[in-house]
Amino acid sequence: MDIASIVGLILGIVFIVISVVLDGSLWDFADLASVMITIGGTFSATLISYPLDKFMNSLKTIRYIFKAADHDARGVIQQIIELANIARKEGLLALEEAAQSIEDDFLQKGILLIVDGTDPELVRNILETELAFIDGRHKESQGFWETVASLGPAWGMIGTLIGLINMLQKLDDPDQIGPSMAVALITTLYGSLLANLLAGPTANKLKIRSDEEILLKEVMIEGLLSIQAGENPRIIEEKLKAFLSPALREQINKNEGAAEEVGGR
């Protein structure tokens, strides 16, 4: 599980609750009508913006912010190097058997294209086309939560306007002005919380996860084409490391150095 998302959400709620309780009662900030206007209005407007199937699929993507990222760049590079060694020793056709044990569909598809003798340029085009569609689906989900983040405060303001209208209709009763104003402002609070504690951070986390996945698949494409070109596994490894951050590159080099030291004993 992604501890950062869970801890961040819990801390956000805890800090808000503590801040409320220190100066008043939590029940003073609970209002069903405000929830209906803000939450209901926001998702109703979002539903207008998206077809039903895209709305439901994008809504479900919130679960991904609580899952641990499964993007092991080091593991992928190691896997590609192993495939390069097989191809160098036994030929490209030997990769067909190795492909059966690969769990990643994208990498497996690329290997099978190579085994079938597909032209390298066509292999690149096929994989990059699939990558573009993956990126498009990711952007759609990100856009959904960005839409929710933009509509939340707007619907909070709509709720505030409704509350102010109700308040103005009760000006003849001074005792009702304060409570009515409080209820009017609660909708703005709900809208801001929806946008800044849930929807906005969700869109940002999905974008980060998407960037990591796209980068990993670009590494796969480059590795596969290098294998097809018959390049030396060591050269392929150095080429693929160039996609990684300096810190991750250094960590891989340290691990390799430790492995070589153990092997030399």
Side-chain angles (χ1 to χ4, degrees):
M1 298 186 72
D2 190 320
I3 301 300
S5 295
I6 297 172
V7 172
L9 185 60
I10 292 175
L11 284 178
I13 294 172
V14 167
F15 288 146
I16 291 168
V17 170
I18 291 176
S19 299
V20 169
V21 172
L22 285 175
D23 291 324
S25 170
L26 192 60
W27 293 110
D28 292 338
F29 287 78
D31 185 73
L32 181 59
S34 297
V35 171
M36 293 175 64
I37 292 172
T38 307
I39 309 298
T42 297
F43 283 99
S44 296
T46 306
L47 184 57
I48 296 172
S49 306
Y50 288 84
L52 182 59
D53 59 333
K54 294 185 183 298
F55 176 90
M56 295 305 298
N57 289 335
S58 297
L59 189 62
K60 293 174 184 176
T61 58
I62 192 172
R63 67 181 185 272
Y64 292 121
I65 72 170
F66 299 108
K67 289 184 176 181
D70 189 23
H71 303 140
D72 182 11
R74 288 179 295 172
V76 168
I77 291 177
Q78 183 60 41
Q79 196 169 33
I80 290 173
I81 299 309
E82 290 173 1
L83 293 170
N85 284 319
I86 293 173
R88 192 173 180 83
K89 294 175 182 177
E90 305 175 33
L92 291 176
L93 293 178
L95 294 176
E96 185 171 11
E97 183 178 350
Q100 305 307 317
S101 61
I102 293 177
E103 297 181 0
D104 190 283
D105 294 337
F106 187 85
L107 183 58
Q108 186 182 64
K109 180 178 182 177
I111 292 171
L112 294 177
L113 286 171
I114 291 174
V115 170
D116 289 340
T118 310
D119 182 77
E121 193 60 32
L122 184 56
V123 172
R124 181 183 290 276
N125 289 339
I126 291 172
L127 295 179
E128 286 185 347
T129 298
E130 184 169 340
L131 191 59
F133 277 100
I134 292 173
D135 189 37
R137 290 195 298 272
H138 290 178
K139 281 184 167 57
E140 190 174 89
S141 299
Q142 296 160 30
F144 172 87
W145 290 105
E146 288 170 355
T147 299
V148 173
S150 65
L151 290 173
W155 276 93
M157 185 56 65
I158 290 173
T160 297
L161 293 174
I162 292 173
L164 290 175
I165 291 171
N166 289 333
M167 184 192 73
L168 291 174
Q169 291 175 342
K170 300 175 183 177
L171 284 179
D172 56 340
D173 185 358
D175 293 336
Q176 292 296 320
I177 294 177
S180 297
M181 175 64 84
V183 171
L185 293 177
I186 285 174
T187 55
T188 300
L189 173 64
Y190 287 171
S192 297
L193 288 176
L194 175 61
N196 297 295
L197 185 60
L198 182 65
T202 296
N204 193 58
K205 178 62 73 71
L206 291 176
K207 182 179 184 304
I208 292 172
R209 291 286 175 79
S210 175
D211 290 343
E212 291 174 349
E213 183 176 348
I214 295 300
L215 176 63
L216 202 58
K217 284 180 168 40
E218 287 175 348
V219 169
M220 292 179 187
I221 292 174
E222 194 61 40
L224 289 168
L225 293 174
S226 297
I227 291 173
Q228 190 175 25
E231 295 180 9
N232 186 291
R234 185 63 185 174
I235 300 300
I236 296 175
E237 183 178 10
E238 292 304 319
K239 183 190 294 186
L240 299 184
K241 284 181 183 177
F243 285 84
L244 307 179
S245 66
L248 191 53
R249 236 178 292 168
E250 184 178 349
Q251 188 176 358
I252 292 176
N253 291 333
K254 283 182 179 178
N255 291 341
E256 289 177 351
E260 290 175 1
E261 185 179 341
V262 171
R265 290 178 180 175

